[in-house]
Amino acid sequence: MARRQATRHSTITDVADAAGVSIKTVSRVFNDEPNVRPLTRDRVLKAAADLDYHPNVAARSLAGRRSFLIGLAYENPSPNYVVDLQRGALERLHGERYRLLVLPFDDASAASGKMQAIARASGLDGMVLAPPLCDDPATVAELEACGLPYARIAPTSGGSHAPDVAMDDREAARAVVDHLVGLGHTRIGVVRGDPSHASAGARLEGYHAGLAAHGLAADPALEVQGAYTFVSGYEAGRALLALPDRPTAIFASNDDMAAGVINAAYEAGVSVPDQLSVVGFDDSNIASVVWPRLTTIHQPIRDMAREATSALLSLIDHEETVPHQMLPFQLVIRGSTGPVPA
Amino acid sequence: MARRQATRHSTITDVADAAGVSIKTVSRVFNDEPNVRPLTRDRVLKAAADLDYHPNVAARSLAGRRSFLIGLAYENPSPNYVVDLQRGALERLHGERYRLLVLPFDDASAASGKMQAIARASGLDGMVLAPPLCDDPATVAELEACGLPYARIAPTSGGSHAPDVAMDDREAARAVVDHLVGLGHTRIGVVRGDPSHASAGARLEGYHAGLAAHGLAADPALEVQGAYTFVSGYEAGRALLALPDRPTAIFASNDDMAAGVINAAYEAGVSVPDQLSVVGFDDSNIASVVWPRLTTIHQPIRDMAREATSALLSLIDHEETVPHQMLPFQLVIRGSTGPVPA
DNA sequence: TTGTAAGCGTTATCAC
DNA sequence: GTGATAACGCTTACAA
């Protein structure tokens, strides 16, 4: 079986010969450069079509000193999140010459110190960094040092003038509390997220701010540590429901944990939302699969990825930088929240 | 802000000069070619390390006429599935010079006829095709025509001598029926999968074979068409539960539909597994998130992707082809199945 | 075991 | 507007 393509592909020279022009003119046409007479242009395009010519990527990269490859680095374990991320980036890249290389890491420490090597080994033109990787100081410093253009998604750490796209986690968490208080809840528990993700802190802050805004005191007994996983949510739910004066509503810092809380309630014979309201965060696929459907914050992951990619492209192509961008969130009210039990 | 790397990267010539050898020797070292004295080798490696030399990907691709890029094409909407696929492929690629380009398609028709263009535009050395794309005749024919090496994951259509890795869907569905019959069930409903996925047919066949093996007659009323989505499973579940002589067990052809069936049961006040047993297929993340946890067939997607990638690499690198490979499945018994109600 | 020379197929420079 | 011609950094023959 043939290992390489059976046919010898035609090159820029073949097209130039066929069109009766120089290779430079063909190059101009394929790079949308000015100074080509429309007639010449058409002749080149026709010759190229006849010869089924496609520019050689490697040659372009070598001569142009750019690969048209961008990397998407992440260490998030949630498939929903990852796929949304990829979709957003690919959405922006569609129709461009750029291609996407996915770079998943097991954890931030696996990425630290290897970014530059990976970028060079893969020949990347730029990189999009998703949380929590984009908050890893070592990773950012390394990228900064080697001068590779990059953009960050929902970063919470500063110290970088690279473009980034974010959502206001704090404000969103406040909106969650507003919603619950509006339903009459006053004992609102919270399952905190993995502290290594900076989002966890912002969401907790918003929770506190929301309580304060309504004149409610924060009760440390109602705050349980989670880890952004289903199981940690389940355990946190059990702990909260076992409380003597248990909460009537629980705000889980992400959907996976909210699903865990609902399972804990199911097991404990506590009906959701009649006896307990549960709110998630992210609006991942899970939110629509658990029963009842999750009231949650829709985090525009896909949009953020698209915009971050866009920012990266303008950084690479035009050296223009749109430093910060804040995308709107949305509270999606579904079946898991209801009025406080009488 | 600098658009390109600030520093001028060192090249093979720099390393050759520093080590006092020719560039060919440096090339030999970096390509693990024979006929390099260990001492020379060490000298080259030292010089390379001192100069922080990394071979230029584009130059290697151009001169070597290979990109070390392989594509992973799929059109599956399930994030869990997609991420498993990617993980498997990346697992095999780890430590190799190859990089992975993800190629998601909205549907098979979007892929048909564009494969060759994509492969050339991206400069791919080969392609891994996931179902149901790998069963699209036009796509396969196109790849075959342009001579691009490819491997298929769980294909069900023939007409290709490309390597593939599969699981025995039919046998697995039989095992599901065995399990249910073993629990005493005789009225076993089925939610069929999307007929455009060939797996749907194989799973249905296995269901029928299982019934026959136990001397049970197939009842058309117990067979409802689904579409591999949560909602279609939900609707199918409602239909089956509304039957006058409703089934005591339902085999959904994938996990998403099984989750839908469970929701339908929940709504209808039918307890799972006490009054109804539900089985899924795939063992996707959803299987562990719904309540009760799903009894399902663990489909080794990740392993299949890894092995398919492996087969592709040997096809590209050694022109060796390991045509077919069958990976074992596993019936994972969780909480959604139980003895037939008395 | 090592080196020389000739590409690989583009883009960049600069002249016309 | 268009075209020579020189890079780009490496691999592949083929010599030595």
Side-chain angles (χ1 to χ4, degrees):
Chain A
M1 147 140 259
R3 163 172 153 198
R4 304 273 105 233
Q5 281 72 356
T7 54
R8 178 115 251 97
H9 288 157
S10 50
T11 73
I12 197 171
T13 314
D14 300 329
V15 177
D17 290 350
V21 297
S22 76
I23 61 167
K24 177 69 223 187
T25 297
V26 178
S27 175
R28 282 196 183 93
V29 170
F30 275 86
N31 289 295
D32 288 316
E33 281 174 36
N35 298 335
V36 179
R37 235 184 9 212
L39 204 83
T40 314
R41 195 186 131 80
D42 289 346
R43 214 148 27 101
V44 169
L45 252 21
K46 165 106 176 51
D50 287 348
L51 293 167
D52 188 31
Y53 168 71
H54 292 254
N56 179 300
V57 192
R60 286 184 122 175
S61 298
L62 180 56
R65 282 171 214 52
R66 52 197 305 192
S67 64
F68 287 97
L69 262 183
I70 78 158
L72 175 63
Y74 53 87
E75 61 162 286
N76 197 301
S78 158
N80 298 307
Y81 189 93
V82 166
V83 165
D84 266 356
L85 222 45
Q86 296 181 358
R87 254 203 260 275
L90 286 165
E91 210 168 277
R92 178 61 182 83
L93 261 28
H94 188 84
E96 302 274 354
R97 256 171 68 186
Y98 286 90
R99 294 111 77 213
L100 185 73
L101 228 48
V102 295
L103 304 169
F105 292 92
D106 290 334
D107 51 83
S109 62
S112 247
K114 296 203 194 104
M115 278 304 184
Q116 183 174 3
I118 288 169
R120 284 189 63 183
S122 305
L124 298 180
D125 278 350
M127 187 117 81
V128 174
L129 252 43
L133 205 58
C134 62
D135 293 314
D136 178 53
T139 300
V140 170
E142 198 184 347
L143 253 27
E144 206 78 47
C146 73
L148 188 79
Y150 68 96
R152 303 192 296 166
I153 294 173
T156 35
S157 66
S160 158
H161 40 250
D164 69 69
V165 183
M167 196 201 74
D168 197 337
D169 279 54
R170 189 176 179 284
E171 208 49 43
R174 264 200 63 152
V176 167
V177 174
D178 282 349
H179 168 60
L180 292 172
V181 171
L183 289 168
H185 296 273
T186 52
R187 284 192 65 69
I188 303 171
V190 65
V191 185
R192 294 200 296 255
D194 181 341
S196 74
H197 293 219
S199 64
R203 293 172 195 181
L204 188 65
E205 268 185 41
Y207 161 80
H208 285 144
L211 290 183
H214 291 284
L216 297 171
D219 179 353
L222 292 181
E223 299 185 13
V224 180
Q225 184 63 52
Y228 276 157
T229 64
F230 177 81
V231 171
S232 71
Y234 171 73
E235 282 162 1
R238 284 177 56 139
L240 284 167
L241 292 173
L243 250 35
D245 186 13
R246 74 171 193 228
T248 61
I250 296 178
F251 166 40
S253 298
N254 78 348
D255 289 344
D256 294 66
M257 295 198 298
V261 169
I262 285 181
N263 271 3
Y266 184 93
E267 253 195 3
V270 174
S271 155
V272 176
D274 299 335
Q275 300 170 64
L276 178 74
S277 286
V278 178
V279 185
F281 203 111
D282 285 349
D283 198 19
S284 63
N285 271 18
I286 280 182
S288 311
V289 165
V290 296
W291 194 265
R293 312 289 166 86
L294 231 44
T295 291
T296 189
I297 291 291
H298 177 74
Q299 198 185 9
I301 299 167
R302 183 171 171 172
D303 295 339
M304 290 194 291
R306 182 172 17 72
E307 294 309 313
T309 306
S310 214
L312 178 61
L313 292 196
S314 41
L315 189 59
I316 295 175
D317 291 336
H318 317 297
E319 311 195 18
E320 279 166 14
T321 166
V322 204
H324 298 291
Q325 214 176 331
M326 196 70 108
L327 260 38
F329 65 86
Q330 206 184 332
L331 174 68
V332 183
I333 299 172
R334 297 207 183 88
S336 67
T337 50
V340 67
Chain B
M1 148 141 258
R3 163 172 152 195
R4 305 273 106 234
Q5 280 72 355
T7 54
R8 177 112 252 98
H9 288 157
S10 50
T11 73
I12 198 173
T13 314
D14 300 329
V15 177
D17 289 350
V21 298
S22 75
I23 62 167
K24 176 67 228 190
T25 297
V26 177
S27 174
R28 283 198 182 90
V29 170
F30 275 87
N31 289 296
D32 287 317
E33 281 173 35
N35 298 334
V36 179
R37 236 185 8 211
L39 204 83
T40 315
R41 194 186 133 81
D42 289 346
R43 215 147 27 102
V44 169
L45 252 21
K46 166 105 177 50
D50 287 348
L51 294 166
D52 188 31
Y53 168 72
H54 293 253
N56 179 302
V57 191
R60 286 183 122 175
S61 298
L62 180 57
R65 276 167 273 285
R66 53 198 303 193
S67 64
F68 287 96
L69 263 183
I70 79 159
L72 175 63
Y74 53 88
E75 62 162 287
N76 197 301
S78 158
N80 298 307
Y81 189 92
V82 166
V83 165
D84 267 355
L85 222 46
Q86 295 180 358
R87 254 203 260 275
L90 286 166
E91 210 168 278
R92 178 60 182 83
L93 260 30
H94 189 84
E96 302 273 353
R97 257 173 67 184
Y98 285 90
R99 293 111 78 213
L100 185 73
L101 230 46
V102 295
L103 306 169
F105 293 92
D106 291 335
D107 51 83
S109 63
S112 248
K114 296 205 195 103
M115 278 305 184
Q116 184 175 3
I118 288 170
R120 283 189 64 183
S122 305
L124 298 181
D125 280 349
M127 187 118 79
V128 174
L129 252 42
L133 206 58
C134 62
D135 293 314
D136 179 53
T139 300
V140 170
E142 200 184 346
L143 254 27
E144 206 76 48
C146 73
L148 188 79
Y150 68 96
R152 303 193 295 167
I153 294 174
T156 36
S157 66
S160 159
H161 40 250
D164 69 67
V165 183
M167 196 202 76
D168 197 338
D169 280 53
R170 189 176 179 284
E171 208 48 43
R174 263 200 63 152
V176 167
V177 175
D178 282 348
H179 168 60
L180 292 172
V181 172
L183 289 167
H185 296 275
T186 53
R187 283 193 66 69
I188 301 171
V190 65
V191 185
R192 293 200 296 255
D194 181 341
S196 74
H197 293 219
S199 64
R203 293 172 194 181
L204 187 65
E205 269 183 32
Y207 162 79
H208 286 143
L211 291 183
H214 292 284
L216 297 171
D219 179 351
L222 292 182
E223 298 184 14
V224 181
Q225 185 64 53
Y228 276 156
T229 64
F230 177 82
V231 171
S232 71
Y234 171 74
E235 283 162 0
R238 284 177 54 137
L240 284 168
L241 292 174
L243 250 34
D245 186 13
R246 74 173 193 227
T248 60
I250 295 177
F251 165 41
S253 298
N254 79 346
D255 289 343
D256 294 66
M257 296 198 299
V261 169
I262 286 182
N263 272 4
Y266 185 93
E267 253 195 2
V270 174
S271 154
V272 176
D274 299 334
Q275 302 171 62
L276 179 74
S277 285
V278 178
V279 185
F281 202 110
D282 285 349
D283 197 20
S284 63
N285 271 20
I286 280 181
S288 312
V289 166
V290 297
W291 193 266
R293 313 288 167 86
L294 231 43
T295 291
T296 189
I297 292 290
H298 177 74
Q299 199 185 7
I301 300 166
R302 183 172 172 171
D303 295 339
M304 291 193 292
R306 183 173 14 72
E307 294 309 312
T309 305
S310 213
L312 178 62
L313 292 197
S314 41
L315 190 59
I316 296 175
D317 291 336
H318 317 296
E319 310 195 20
E320 280 166 14
T321 166
V322 205
H324 298 290
Q325 214 177 331
M326 196 71 107
L327 262 37
F329 65 84
Q330 205 184 334
L331 174 67
V332 184
I333 299 173
R334 296 206 183 89
S336 67
T337 49
V340 66

